[in-house]
Amino acid sequence: MKFGTKAIHAGVEPDPSTGAIMTPIYQTSTYVQASPGDHKGYEYARTQNPTRTALESSLAALENGQFATAFGSGMAAVDAIIKSLRPGDEVISTNDLYGGSYRIFTKVFEPYGIKFHFVDLSNTENLSSLINDNTKMIWLETPTNPLIRIIDVEAVVNIAKPRGIKVVVDNTFASPYLQNPLDLGADIVMHSITKYIAGHSDVVMGCVVTNDEAFHQQIRFIQNAVGAVPGPQDCFLVLRGIKTLHLRMRAHCENGAKVAHFLKSHPKVSHVYWPGFEDAPGHEVAKRQMRDFGGMLSFTLKGDQMDDALKVLEGTSLFSLAESLGGVESLIGHPASMTHASIPKEEREKSGLSDTLIRLSVGVEDAEDLLEDLAKALDKV
Ligand code: P1T
């Protein structure tokens, strides 16, 4: 089945009790049993909920995986994955990653004895010197947040697999429409569903998808034992959002390309980070592992002055200054003070994230209006 058909149909059956074509919002915390243990497969809503079950089936199908588990946020999904590790285990992570992921790794899990190494994985040669007998997981985002670097998933898998190291791909920036890491050999995919999958900036949610049944059982156990589950109303909203994921992603990619080329040719712009340029470092890998180049990009201004960056950040009107990404509306952000403020400045600088970097989540408005909005803001510089 092709992606658009899966987005509309996978995991979703007419409701057995009424025939409702849309999965109902099962707003219930518990389910009645005829006698102890004699129930219809549902006992308590932390453990199972039919709206969530439909969503999890849909998410698994979109990532070509067998098993998906939904969580109350992207960070709760990250939390569950790292809780599958034990003290003494080590993780090698990309050094360009969401600030919240860096924060949970270093501030929550390092004190429990899990060790994290941060390195630029867009050069996979950086991996081998860090691998040792304790290495249990490699963590990557591709494209990365916020420098939109591309990491070669198959190259990482080729190094990890023979050593029994699990490869996790945070696929949030690509979405399942653009990239399916399990098909490239990764063991685990996670998403901040909050972004492209939900698509309308009205839900916070996350998921873990895998083909590894033993790992799935561990994640399912953590989901129930810890309880960071999404509510049924949010699951409904995401099921609704998924039905247009392919349509939205095509529009994000088309607008992303127009904005990237506009900025690249603008006299006040110094550098645009977007993998669609033929001379971008990750271009060939992106062409191979992604369907298109996405709607996320970052840029810096000539002269590299904070005052100038602020004029652009405050000067747009269609691009709203806000954290998050992947919704239908365009957003502009300042990673150093917003989404990546939890990474110390010296670590940010080591990974190439400057204080003047501006990040865009290009929405699905009419491209002409978006270009005009950016042109006006750049005129203020
Ligand atoms: O916000 P939440 O749903 O908990 O997801 C966390 C998360 C995980 N992984 C990536 C790659 C992310 O970008 C995020 C959240 N990111 C933002 C809020 C942001 O503006 O970058």
Side-chain angles (χ1 to χ4, degrees), residues 172-175 192-203 241 244-245 248-249 252 294-297 322-332 359-365:
T172 300
F173 268 40
S175 89
S192 168
I193 287 179
T194 316
K195 313 296 164 21
Y196 286 111
I197 295 180
H200 296 75
S201 306
D202 50 10
V203 166
T244 56
L245 179 58
R248 288 185 282 109
M249 288 314 298
H252 283 294
M296 291 302 298
L297 55 96
E323 304 209 6
S324 205
L325 60 114
V328 288
E329 66 290 305
S330 293
L331 298 180
I332 188 166
R359 191 188 77 178
L360 297 180
S361 170
V362 181
V364 303
E365 301 94 336

Side-chain angles (χ1 to χ4, degrees), residues 219-257:
I219 292 294
R220 186 63 91 195
F221 176 83
I222 293 166
Q223 181 198 39
N224 180 53
V226 177
V229 291
Q233 167 106 16
D234 284 357
C235 292
F236 173 86
L237 285 171
V238 175
L239 278 166
R240 180 177 166 130
I242 284 173
K243 291 185 196 297
T244 56
L245 179 58
H246 53 307
L247 307 176
R248 288 185 282 109
M249 288 314 298
R250 285 177 203 147
H252 283 294
C253 291
E254 200 181 303
N255 281 356

Side-chain angles (χ1 to χ4, degrees), residues 72-78 97-101 139 141 143-146 170-173 190-195 203-206 296 322-325 331 338-340 359:
S73 68
M75 290 319 303
V78 176
L97 79 167
Y98 173 53
S101 300
W139 188 280
E141 295 178 3
T144 61
N145 181 3
D170 180 338
N171 204 26
T172 300
F173 268 40
M190 65 117 333
H191 280 277
S192 168
I193 287 179
T194 316
K195 313 296 164 21
V203 166
V204 173
M205 202 188 289
M296 291 302 298
E323 304 209 6
S324 205
L325 60 114
L331 298 180
M338 295 166 74
T339 48
H340 293 71
R359 191 188 77 178

Side-chain angles (χ1 to χ4, degrees), residues 282-353:
H283 182 69
E284 289 307 318
V285 178
K287 264 203 323 205
R288 196 169 71 233
Q289 70 186 19
M290 297 172 75
R291 195 199 278 255
D292 203 339
F293 303 110
M296 291 302 298
L297 55 96
S298 295
F299 65 102
T300 49
L301 299 174
K302 287 197 178 132
D304 211 25
Q305 294 302 307
M306 196 57 221
D307 287 359
D308 288 339
L310 280 174
K311 281 180 194 146
V312 176
L313 287 158
E314 293 166 359
T316 53
S317 49
L318 283 177
F319 281 86
S320 303
L321 178 63
E323 304 209 6
S324 205
L325 60 114
V328 288
E329 66 290 305
S330 293
L331 298 180
I332 188 166
H334 180 232
S337 70
M338 295 166 74
T339 48
H340 293 71
S342 52
I343 304 179
K345 187 175 162 73
E346 56 287 3
E347 291 300 317
R348 291 201 305 263
E349 278 168 1
K350 257 193 248 167
S351 69
L353 199 183

